[in-house]
Amino acid sequence: MGAGIGGIASAALLARQGFNVTVVEKCEQPGGRCGRMTVEGFTFDTGATLLMMRELYEKLFASLGERLEDHLELLRVDPTYHLHFPDKSQLQLTADMLSMQRQLEAIEPGSFVHLLRYLQEGSSHYTQSIPRLVEHDFRSLPEFISPSNLLLVLRIKALTRHSNNIARYFKDPRLQMAFTFQDMYMGLSPYESPALYSMMPYTELADGLWYPRGGMYRITEALVSIAKNLGVQFILNTPVNRIVVNSHHATGLEMNDGSVLSGDIVIANADTGYVYDQLLPPNGHPRIIDTKEYGCSTIMFYWGLDKPYPQLAAHNLFFNGDYRQGFDVIFKELSMADEPNFYIHAPVRIDASMAPEGQETLYAAVPVGRISQHKTQDWQAMEAKARAFILRRLKQIGITDFEEHIKVEISFTPQDWQKRYNLPFGSTHGLSHKLTQMAYFRPSYQHARYTNLYFVGASTHPGTGIPTVMVSARHVAARIQRDWSN
């Protein structure tokens, strides 16, 4: 159930093992949040805009008997980001260390040496945590809290806040912003996230940011093609009403029209909290959506324009207002800052096919709080405010005629994410990646009572993001193979 990346990958892996697999998807296309919209010649990826941790993609394709490079033409993006700070100064993050040295020394003398130390730390965190936390399928608490893992938690600074750790390397707030904003990939504030996530800037600069020619949706298309070649059947435009269960097993899926698709095994690729809350009978235990914390959401704008704006690089971050206060408003007040930080992606800088010739495709993402259970939030007003602020900020870098060149405009608020993808509270990142919801402490891949019901996706182990969801697909397929071969 669910044709997100995790669902498609799980289906393909199991079909390769000899299982007869059918995928049921509520939307009109596979991909989940890694979807695509094409309007008047403008192509928009609806979710992720960059490919990182390439090795995890390669491992999934290898598990399918395929080579990543045979399916995707990956283009390296460098500089990785163009950062615009509140004081109107700028910084380009790049793998060119001579360029980084010149830029950083101009901001904070002596800081380049500190960057090298910070990247070295990030490398250590990455090389230790990926095999031992991300790629390890923990089946029990004792397995997770072994003495070696407890030492690992200390070594990767999982108990140290990222904001405190970054201050040991850089004093200038602009550099602190430049190397902690990546925590938003996990839907986290750097003032609450573990310093473990220094591995994100490391992998971006050392291993690179990549972009598949044709857009991120090419990942979905490649996996669907592989799955179909292995015999997987896809049923689209078919919402699931409930998972049919007996006392100890899931027996199939009931669609909204009342029809039932029976099966020996059920894999749920919808958000785990949504599945427990909406698709399974109550079990007398507190609901995941009540006991776990969800990450933030996003107001998204998708613009097609009839002229290009060379002032914008492929990936642009605009920092505005007070950095910490902005995160507090998102995560504590569940709202949006008066002067919000935002991200703009211009895919035409990498791949001209994403817009008609001589025109521009842009995505803008404004992080906001998730939908609150306890207070009213005016998302339409927040959306209008975000849009107006982005246009004002763009004028400051010389883009003064933006609005008059808009040909296509589509926007998503947390309510849209919730409705289209069944995301609790409209959280675009699923469950938060705070310390108590990492690794073993995320919901299990396997239901405790209905033992042939498995979960794959952002709100299970190891977590959110395409590469880690691919890991969850490999784990689930391996578990099923072990469980059903006995």
Side-chain angles (χ1 to χ4, degrees), residues 301-463:
F301 298 95
Y302 305 93
W303 285 307
L305 301 111
D306 63 12
K307 65 172 287 189
Y309 288 96
Q311 300 94 323
L312 295 171
H315 300 290
N316 309 268
L317 264 295
F318 289 81
F319 298 101
N320 308 288
D322 184 277
Y323 190 55
R324 179 165 191 160
Q325 183 182 38
F327 285 110
D328 287 345
V329 170
I330 293 169
F331 291 97
K332 296 179 180 180
E333 300 177 22
L334 302 185
S335 188
M336 182 184 78
D338 290 335
E339 297 181 305
N341 301 324
F342 62 90
Y343 161 78
I344 289 184
H345 175 44
V348 174
R349 298 298 167 276
I350 317 163
D351 182 356
S353 71
M354 301 300 284
E357 185 176 358
Q359 301 189 52
E360 185 85 280
T361 294
L362 295 178
Y363 323 156
V366 183
V368 296
R370 64 184 180 273
I371 296 172
S372 174
Q373 294 177 291
H374 308 294
K375 71 174 186 177
T376 300
Q377 295 153 300
D378 189 339
W379 294 112
Q380 283 64 46
M382 233 180 287
E383 176 188 345
K385 180 179 175 182
R387 183 183 188 275
F389 182 79
I390 291 171
L391 298 189
R392 286 201 307 273
R393 189 71 168 88
L394 290 179
K395 287 181 179 178
Q396 296 174 359
I397 63 167
I399 300 177
T400 58
D401 59 351
F402 189 92
E403 198 160 17
E404 63 196 69
H405 289 282
I406 296 174
K407 292 179 64 178
V408 172
E409 180 168 5
I410 302 167
S411 60
F412 275 35
T413 70
Q415 292 172 319
D416 297 310
W417 296 115
Q418 182 182 51
K419 181 179 179 180
R420 180 167 177 81
Y421 300 112
N422 294 329
L423 301 177
F425 315 114
S427 171
T428 46
H429 302 82
L431 287 177
S432 164
H433 279 260
K434 65 180 185 179
L435 180 63
T436 55
Q437 294 183 176
M438 289 171 57
Y440 176 79
F441 297 116
R442 294 183 80 75
S444 172
Y445 289 130
Q446 195 167 2
H447 197 283
R449 179 175 179 180
Y450 311 117
T451 53
N452 66 331
L453 172 59
Y454 299 83
F455 302 91
V456 62
S459 289
T460 58
H461 175 71

Side-chain angles (χ1 to χ4, degrees), residues 202-214:
Y202 158 75
T203 190
E204 289 175 347
L205 294 178
D207 297 331
L209 287 187
W210 303 85
Y211 186 80
R213 188 178 297 280

Side-chain angles (χ1 to χ4, degrees), residues 90-147:
Q90 300 180 20
L91 172 64
Q92 286 192 334
L93 299 184
T94 172
D96 180 348
M97 288 293 108
L98 289 178
S99 174
M100 289 294 287
Q101 183 176 22
R102 288 192 297 269
Q103 293 182 85
L104 265 64
E105 292 297 322
I107 294 174
E108 180 183 321
S111 60
F112 181 68
V113 172
H114 298 154
L115 171 66
L116 297 180
R117 288 177 47 235
Y118 183 70
L119 294 178
Q120 183 178 33
E121 177 185 88
S123 172
S124 175
H125 290 175
Y126 184 89
T127 55
Q128 293 183 80
S129 63
I130 293 298
R132 296 183 58 183
L133 292 180
V134 174
E135 293 194 285
H136 190 95
D137 180 8
F138 296 102
R139 284 190 170 237
S140 68
L141 183 59
E143 182 182 2
F144 176 65
I145 59 171
S146 65

